[in-house]
Amino acid sequence: QVVYILIEKNTEQHLWIANVDGSGARQLLPDYVFAGHLSASPDGDRLVVIRRVAKQGRDVPEPAIVDLRGATPAITTLQLPPGALSPYEWTPDGQAIVYLQRHGSSDNLWLQPLQGGAAHALTHFDDLSISDYAYSHDGRLVVSRRARNSDVVVATGLGKSH
């Protein structure tokens, strides 16, 4: 089967599943999801998504695990500590979720076991941000780091011919 995000009216993003030939398409979640924030477990049976849930009159991003086994998907809110940032990725054994945690000017990767237990740091960087990370096929964690830069340029006199 294939999981995909259908974008309607340029803003409404829904999670769907269909057979490879396109037949049997059905919506998986009643909530909107954020495109680009979708990670499949190593066995392909579960997804981590960020869904938009209405709370106190506004849409709030909420990470969730969608279990695709069975006729109706089971949806479980992913309990992460405050400040946990996406992207959320599965560990190679499918038993935990890795996420970013930012403190000051540095990012670190943390691991949250799905069967309970406290989250713990995988990296211990004291500078730079993490721009991307992934597990390699042999199970090693690969991290891309960079300095956080911002430049402000003020251009004046544009459009005037001299």
Side-chain angles (χ1 to χ4, degrees):
Q1 291 187 315
V2 177
V3 173
Y4 60 95
I5 294 175
L6 178 64
I7 300 175
E8 302 174 44
K9 302 177 191 167
N10 295 327
T11 59
E12 298 176 5
Q13 304 167 14
H14 297 279
L15 190 63
W16 285 69
I17 191 167
N19 295 321
V20 175
D21 66 2
S23 66
R26 62 186 169 94
Q27 188 172 334
L28 286 175
L29 296 176
D31 308 307
Y32 300 140
V33 296
F34 290 97
H37 297 279
L38 180 68
S39 177
S41 63
D43 60 11
D45 289 339
R46 295 169 292 163
L47 303 171
V48 172
V49 300
I50 300 176
R51 60 186 185 159
R52 295 188 295 178
V53 179
K55 291 184 180 179
Q56 300 176 345
R58 62 186 187 101
D59 283 344
V60 176
E62 180 179 87
I65 294 177
V66 180
D67 192 331
L68 302 174
R69 297 170 287 198
T72 304
I75 303 163
T76 307
T77 299
L78 185 55
Q79 300 299 321
L80 296 175
L85 302 172
S86 65
Y88 305 115
E89 296 292 339
W90 295 87
T91 54
D93 63 5
Q95 299 301 308
I97 300 294
V98 177
Y99 60 91
L100 280 170
Q101 190 83 38
R102 181 167 295 143
H103 292 285
S105 63
S106 65
D107 293 343
N108 280 289
L109 294 174
W110 284 69
L111 182 140
Q112 176 64 57
L114 295 177
Q115 300 302 318
H120 64 273
L122 293 176
T123 61
H124 301 278
F125 301 129
D126 57 8
D127 65 349
L128 302 179
S129 63
I130 295 174
S131 57
D132 203 2
Y133 67 96
Y135 280 95
S136 64
H137 291 291
D138 64 1
R140 291 185 292 172
L141 185 61
V142 178
V143 179
S144 172
R145 298 177 64 215
R146 63 179 167 78
R148 218 183 304 270
N149 292 331
S150 63
D151 293 324
V152 176
V153 177
V154 177
T156 59
L158 298 177
K160 295 180 182 179
S161 58
H162 294 286

